[in-house]
Amino acid sequence: MINIKPIIVNELKKVFNNINDTYPSEWTIFPVIQYTEEDNKTYTKTDDKEQEAYVRYKIDIWNKRSTSDIALKVDEVLSSLGLVRIQCLDTPEPSQLKHKVMRYEGIIDVNNMRVYNS
């Protein structure tokens, strides 16, 4: 198993100020970005060792206004890590904030951290 969450959060923090790995508690600094690891499983195993891992991450964006420009920046960050966007959708939000959900995935060689996509 690999953990690339620290890499993702470090790259997002270069662009955004309010990054959370849990439901955000700070709602005065916008945009609010939440990253969640949705899946991290063995993709290829040889000689009883994991060689490749499949990972999927969900990014939630909340903002007082449009989330489109923010989503472009998020996409730039995660794409630069080799992950592929598999979903991007606007989500109804009862708080009247704008809310966008994005999902990214990749297959990572655990020995050299290269990212592949199927």
Side-chain angles (χ1 to χ4, degrees):
M1 184 169 169
I2 60 168
N3 181 12
I4 65 164
K5 288 190 292 183
I7 296 169
I8 291 171
V9 72
N10 285 338
E11 292 302 311
L12 287 171
K13 280 185 176 181
K14 292 178 182 178
V15 182
F16 303 105
N17 294 321
N18 193 356
I19 310 294
N20 304 275
D21 65 347
T22 60
Y23 191 77
S25 58
E26 175 60 58
W27 291 96
T28 59
I29 301 170
F30 287 92
V32 177
I33 309 289
Q34 178 188 6
Y35 66 97
T36 307
E37 184 177 68
E38 288 190 324
D39 205 351
N40 184 335
K41 63 185 176 187
T42 300
Y43 186 78
T44 304
K45 188 174 184 177
T46 59
D47 298 325
D48 294 324
K49 292 182 183 176
E50 183 177 52
Q51 302 300 320
E52 294 176 321
Y54 167 84
V55 295
R56 184 178 65 234
Y57 294 91
K58 181 176 86 162
I59 307 294
D60 286 273
I61 303 167
W62 288 273
N63 199 28
K64 291 181 179 180
R65 292 173 275 126
S66 173
T67 56
S68 298
D69 289 341
I70 300 159
L72 292 173
K73 291 177 184 175
V74 167
D75 190 63
E76 188 176 309
V77 169
L78 273 79
S79 294
S80 73
L81 297 174
L83 299 172
V84 172
R85 185 182 68 256
I86 60 168
Q87 185 179 48
C88 181
L89 65 127
D90 292 320
T91 304
E93 179 66 39
S95 69
Q96 302 305 313
L97 292 173
K98 302 296 183 185
H99 182 198
K100 188 176 291 287
V101 175
M102 303 175 80
R103 284 187 169 82
Y104 290 84
E105 69 180 7
I107 298 164
I108 302 176
D109 185 319
V110 300
N111 300 301
N112 60 27
M113 298 303 286
R114 286 192 181 127
V115 181
Y116 303 97
N117 297 286
S118 54

